[in-house]
Amino acid sequence: MTSTLLPGNIVYGGPITAHEAQDYRSLGQYVLDKYKSFGDQVVMIDAVTGVEYTAKYLYESTVRMAHILQKLGVKHNDVVGLSSENNISFAIAMFAGFAVGATVAPLNVTYSDREVDHAINLSHPKIIFASKMTVDLVAKVAKRNKFVKGIIALSGSSKNHPNVYSFTELMSNDKFKTPADFTSPLANKIEDVALIVCSSGTTGLPKGVQLTQFNLLATLDSQIQPTMMPLNEITLLTVIPWFHAFGCLTLITCACMGTRLVYLPKFEENLFLGAIEKYRVMMAFMVPPLMVFLAKHPIVDKYDLSSLMVLLCGAAPLSRETEDQIKERIGVPFIRQGYGLSESTLSVLVQNDEFCKPGSVGVLKVGISCKVVDPDTGKILGKNERGELCFKGDGIMKGYIGDTQSTQTAIKDGWLHTGDIGYFDDDFEFFIVDRIKELIKYKGFQVPPAEIEALLLTHDDIKDVAVIGRPDEEAGELPMAFVVKQAKVQLTEEDVIKFVHERASPAKRLRGGVIFVDEIPKNPSGKILRRILRDMLKKPKSKL
């Protein structure tokens, strides 16, 4: 399907022609029926333990846990919290929540006490699943919030806390008679919320993004594209956290497509590379920090990565230089970028075989419309004109839970305002320039940090980098860089400043200086947390 330009400079990706998922009684029933249809096919592999799980196992386990949830009092439209790193129990818990018609609210495992408290007060979960890593904190916070009626520990026993059940003990308890057949409640798909995912929180405390059953079902239908490699025939690796929107929605997509999904709970160099080699992984979900690792780390050469055919990269901008380095080094034929937000249920823009210019994030997916708006005047812009990207379509969220004001700011007349600056070219390929809030204003010039970061990452001695604006009375803001050096290299502030000076226009030079750091603060999807860097500038520590 090729994009078309409608009157008023609206770009349209064309209609969703598949309706299998949307026509279902509920998301929960769709997932159950899909797993049932795949039978003994291996659909998930734990790359740490090497254990392989069949669709039949996932189906039976999901039905059993759904039945247990109902016995614990979870009803249609109740909320189930889920705080865990990637593991098989996460998937079973989430799909069981969908099966009973509940809303699932994943929680970031790195959240502090304050953040967990904030997140559960947005969603009000009745039951929270928690892993060994998070159960103590979740139990502590739940004590202060009477709406939480119970916690299910995904691993280990439940003896440490009152009101904590053991997942393993529940699943093996004879008093829960698993029904031979399970029917998910009939959903009001437009209204019923399937997921409450926490937004990235790059500007403050996270907001709860409500994605409806229809948002997810329509997105699943839009994934069925004739140009794509059939997902039921491939082995795909993911290390993207499932509590994050990108990870969670790709997990659901893979489940419904019958993909053989190899997963890791977190990124570890040898495990990641070893999994690609051992399982002959063909495709992987990536974020830019992982791409930089593949492009630059010496350990990569020790593994056979020849099975890799496609790398799908999202969540933050990927530079052309990094892409080229990977293609040259590993020989991956296809690197595809996409662009989406928690608020848009996965991607709205994706590269395909035909539309994959370097630096672009592809073309509109089916079912999506886009307009590019001048942030100052509100005028809808045409080809090759930069403005704020706004999207409309079946995947756009219902709104932020309990936050009408933020919802009305984000969605106006059905259009989601992203806060991202971009444009489309003559072939309707889209390019992201930067976020409105992250643009550095230097003497009236708008300087995109992502552009300077991409340039600095071409330096052999630089492992990672983030660029922000340092406040300056005269210029407004001065571009400055936080730099992580490669191991055992000699690199000075002057070297970095000179490198940019010789390769960038005057407005983009690092007049704000360079600070060497051990790591760049990022959220789980790889997005740079610039507010933390700004805070570091306001409160300089003895050692940054």
Side-chain angles (χ1 to χ4, degrees):
M1 184 73 202
T2 309
S3 297
T4 51
L5 192 63
L6 302 179
N9 279 335
I10 307 294
V11 186
Y12 178 50
I16 299 173
T17 51
H19 285 88
E20 181 195 30
Q22 295 166 72
D23 292 343
Y24 252 77
R25 64 183 286 120
S26 68
L27 173 67
Q29 195 64 49
Y30 186 66
V31 176
L32 286 176
D33 285 1
K34 281 292 178 184
Y35 270 146
K36 206 171 187 178
S37 72
F38 300 138
D40 291 324
Q41 186 179 320
V42 171
V43 289
M44 294 183 89
I45 300 173
D46 184 323
V48 176
T49 63
V51 178
E52 302 188 357
Y53 300 95
T54 63
K56 184 172 186 279
Y57 173 83
L58 264 296
Y59 173 79
E60 289 172 353
S61 302
T62 299
V63 166
R64 181 156 182 78
M65 182 45 72
H67 178 64
I68 291 165
L69 285 175
Q70 287 179 330
K71 293 294 182 190
L72 293 174
V74 177
K75 299 188 294 294
H76 185 202
N77 286 332
D78 279 345
V79 178
V80 173
L82 184 45
S83 174
S84 170
E85 57 279 20
N86 299 357
N87 60 53
I88 195 72
S89 305
F90 183 114
I92 293 165
M94 179 172 70
F95 294 135
F98 293 158
V100 300
T103 300
V104 177
L107 300 168
N108 188 322
V109 299
T110 66
Y111 275 172
S112 64
D113 180 307
R114 181 180 71 101
E115 289 164 323
V116 172
D117 195 68
H118 169 76
I120 67 171
N121 273 285
L122 289 175
S123 58
H124 283 236
K126 186 179 271 189
I127 297 278
I128 303 176
F129 290 90
S131 70
K132 192 175 180 180
M133 176 181 167
T134 64
V135 69
D136 290 342
L137 177 59
V138 167
K140 180 184 159 197
V141 175
K143 249 186 221 172
R144 308 196 293 264
N145 296 282
K146 301 296 180 207
F147 52 79
V148 181
K149 302 302 178 193
I151 293 163
I152 299 176
L154 291 176
S155 51
S157 77
S158 56
K159 296 181 174 57
N160 295 344
H161 304 282
N163 294 336
V164 176
Y165 309 92
S166 159
F167 183 90
T168 311
E169 288 164 17
L170 287 173
M171 291 291 272
S172 59
N173 193 324
D174 290 339
K175 81 173 185 182
F176 296 114
K177 303 291 182 199
T178 308
D181 210 15
F182 188 95
T183 304
S184 183
L186 180 66
N188 178 342
K189 292 175 280 192
I190 299 290
E191 291 300 323
D192 290 356
V193 176
L195 280 173
I196 298 172
V197 290
C198 288
S199 67
S200 300
T202 48
T203 54
L205 276 171
K207 295 188 277 285
V209 175
Q210 299 177 97
L211 300 177
T212 65
Q213 294 207 16
F214 185 74
N215 286 155
L216 269 73
L217 291 165
T219 299
L220 286 166
D221 278 335
S222 76
Q223 298 295 101
I224 302 166
Q225 300 262 18
T227 53
M228 282 186 72
M229 194 185 292
L231 285 172
N232 62 335
E233 294 173 16
I234 65 164
T235 301
L236 192 153
L237 175 66
T238 187
V239 68
I240 312 291
W242 292 343
F243 58 73
H244 181 270
F246 181 21
C248 187
L249 292 159
T250 46
L251 167 61
I252 296 164
T253 303
C254 289
C256 294
M257 302 290 175
T259 308
R260 190 169 178 242
L261 186 66
V262 181
Y263 64 87
L264 283 163
K266 63 180 180 183
F267 176 71
E268 288 178 35
E269 294 168 359
N270 292 299
L271 272 175
F272 179 78
L273 298 168
I276 296 171
E277 183 176 276
K278 180 178 179 182
Y279 298 108
R280 304 299 294 156
V281 167
M282 300 161 70
M283 190 183 278
F285 289 128
M286 303 289 284
V287 290
L290 289 180
M291 298 293 275
V292 171
F293 165 75
L294 284 183
K296 296 204 162 202
H297 202 290
I299 197 176
V300 172
D301 294 328
K302 295 177 182 171
Y303 289 83
D304 175 8
L305 308 183
S306 60
S307 61
L308 274 179
M309 297 294 291
V310 186
L311 295 175
L312 298 168
C313 189
L318 174 71
S319 74
R320 181 187 309 193
E321 290 78 13
T322 301
E323 193 177 318
D324 290 343
Q325 282 172 320
I326 292 171
K327 283 183 175 174
E328 191 178 323
R329 186 180 195 186
I330 304 168
V332 181
F334 303 108
I335 293 176
R336 298 284 179 257
Q337 282 204 72
Y339 167 87
L341 309 93
S342 306
E343 292 86 346
S344 67
T345 316
L346 212 51
S347 55
V348 284
L349 295 163
V350 283
Q351 290 184 334
N352 58 35
D353 294 349
E354 198 179 341
F355 299 101
C356 51
K357 288 177 191 154
S360 93
V361 286
V363 288
L364 281 174
K365 277 174 59 176
V366 291
I368 303 289
S369 302
C370 179
K371 62 180 181 180
V372 181
V373 178
D374 185 313
D376 298 322
T377 65
K379 182 188 171 196
I380 301 177
L381 305 171
K383 293 178 180 179
N384 301 303
E385 294 184 298
R386 296 179 176 200
E388 183 182 13
L389 300 181
C390 304
F391 296 96
K392 187 184 261 190
D394 294 332
I396 303 303
M397 68 169 178
K398 185 177 184 177
Y400 298 113
I401 192 164
D403 193 342
T404 309
Q405 188 180 348
S406 291
T407 301
Q408 288 171 349
T409 303
I411 301 175
K412 296 167 188 166
D413 298 325
W415 288 95
L416 174 69
H417 289 246
T418 64
D420 284 322
I421 298 290
Y423 66 94
F424 60 93
D425 68 9
D426 294 339
D427 300 314
F428 301 110
E429 273 198 70
F430 281 78
F431 297 79
I432 307 296
V433 181
D434 226 310
R435 283 195 60 74
I436 290 173
K437 293 185 180 71
E438 289 175 356
L439 288 171
I440 298 165
K441 299 288 182 70
Y442 171 74
K443 292 189 174 177
F445 290 97
Q446 294 191 335
V447 178
E451 188 179 328
I452 307 174
E453 287 157 5
L455 171 62
L456 284 166
L457 281 171
T458 64
H459 195 300
D460 290 339
D461 293 343
I462 293 176
K463 185 178 178 186
D464 206 355
V465 66
V467 172
I468 64 167
R470 184 195 279 272
D472 180 79
E473 206 171 348
E474 186 186 334
E477 288 179 307
L478 301 173
M480 67 162 301
F482 289 82
V483 171
V484 181
K485 291 190 261 193
Q486 293 281 19
K488 298 174 184 169
V489 299
Q490 294 296 315
L491 186 69
T492 65
E493 180 180 6
E494 289 70 32
D495 294 338
V496 178
I497 290 170
K498 186 181 175 194
F499 184 81
V500 175
H501 186 96
E502 290 171 354
R503 291 165 178 81
S505 59
K508 293 168 187 167
R509 290 173 188 164
L510 296 176
R511 298 170 201 275
V514 174
I515 295 174
F516 291 103
V517 290
D518 292 330
E519 63 174 356
I520 302 298
K522 292 175 183 171
N523 74 3
S525 69
K527 202 174 282 181
I528 295 167
L529 295 170
R530 296 182 204 276
R531 63 186 164 83
I532 292 177
L533 297 172
R534 289 189 194 102
D535 288 346
M536 286 164 70
L537 275 188
K538 286 177 200 163
K539 297 175 278 195
K541 296 175 185 170
S542 55
K543 179 181 181 292
L544 277 168

Coordinates of all heavy atoms in Angstrom, one line a residue, residues 482 515-518 533 536-537 539-544:
F482 N 27.7 15.2 27.0 CA 28.1 14.2 28.0 C 28.7 13.0 27.3 O 27.9 12.4 26.4 CB 27.0 13.8 28.9 CG 26.5 14.9 29.8 CD1 25.7 15.9 29.4 CD2 26.9 14.9 31.2 CE1 25.2 16.9 30.2 CE2 26.5 15.9 32.0 CZ 25.7 16.9 31.6
I515 N 31.6 17.0 29.2 CA 31.7 16.4 30.5 C 31.8 14.9 30.3 O 31.0 14.3 29.6 CB 30.6 16.7 31.5 CG1 30.5 18.2 31.8 CG2 30.7 15.9 32.7 CD1 29.3 18.6 32.6
F516 N 32.9 14.2 30.8 CA 33.0 12.8 30.6 C 32.3 12.1 31.8 O 32.5 12.5 33.0 CB 34.5 12.4 30.6 CG 35.2 12.9 29.4 CD1 36.1 14.0 29.4 CD2 35.0 12.2 28.2 CE1 36.7 14.4 28.3 CE2 35.7 12.6 27.0 CZ 36.5 13.8 27.0
V517 N 31.5 11.1 31.4 CA 30.7 10.4 32.4 C 30.9 8.9 32.2 O 31.4 8.4 31.2 CB 29.2 10.7 32.3 CG1 29.0 12.1 32.8 CG2 28.7 10.5 30.9
D518 N 30.5 8.1 33.2 CA 30.6 6.6 33.1 C 29.5 6.0 32.3 O 29.6 5.0 31.6 CB 30.6 6.0 34.5 CG 31.8 6.3 35.3 OD1 32.9 6.5 34.6 OD2 31.8 6.4 36.5
L533 N 20.3 14.8 33.1 CA 21.6 15.5 32.7 C 21.5 17.0 33.0 O 22.4 17.6 33.5 CB 21.9 15.4 31.2 CG 22.1 13.9 30.8 CD1 22.2 13.8 29.3 CD2 23.4 13.4 31.4
M536 N 21.9 17.4 36.6 CA 23.4 17.3 37.0 C 24.1 18.6 36.8 O 25.0 18.9 37.6 CB 24.0 16.2 36.1 CG 23.7 14.8 36.5 SD 24.1 13.5 35.2 CE 25.8 13.5 35.3
L537 N 23.7 19.3 35.8 CA 24.3 20.7 35.6 C 23.9 21.6 36.7 O 24.7 22.4 37.1 CB 23.8 21.2 34.3 CG 24.5 20.8 33.0 CD1 24.0 21.6 31.8 CD2 26.0 21.0 33.1
K539 N 23.0 20.8 39.8 CA 23.6 20.4 41.0 C 24.9 19.7 40.8 O 24.9 18.4 40.8 CB 22.6 19.5 41.8 CG 21.4 20.3 42.2 CD 20.4 19.3 42.8 CE 19.6 18.5 41.8 NZ 18.4 17.8 42.3
P540 N 26.0 20.3 40.4 CA 27.2 19.6 40.1 C 27.7 18.8 41.2 O 27.8 19.3 42.4 CB 28.2 20.7 39.7 CG 27.5 22.0 39.7 CD 26.2 21.8 40.4
K541 N 28.0 17.5 41.0 CA 28.6 16.7 42.0 C 30.1 16.8 41.9 O 30.7 17.3 40.9 CB 28.1 15.2 41.8 CG 26.6 15.1 42.0 CD 26.2 13.7 41.6 CE 24.7 13.6 41.7 NZ 24.2 12.3 41.1
S542 N 30.8 16.2 43.0 CA 32.2 16.3 42.9 C 32.8 15.5 41.7 O 33.8 15.9 41.1 CB 32.8 15.8 44.2 OG 32.3 14.4 44.4
K543 N 32.1 14.4 41.4 CA 32.5 13.6 40.2 C 31.3 13.3 39.4 O 30.4 12.6 39.8 CB 33.2 12.3 40.7 CG 33.7 11.5 39.5 CD 34.3 10.2 40.0 CE 34.8 9.4 38.9 NZ 33.8 8.8 38.1
L544 N 31.2 13.9 38.2 CA 30.1 13.6 37.3 C 30.3 12.3 36.6 O 31.4 11.9 36.3 CB 29.9 14.7 36.3 CG 29.2 15.9 36.8 CD1 29.3 17.0 35.8 CD2 27.7 15.6 37.0

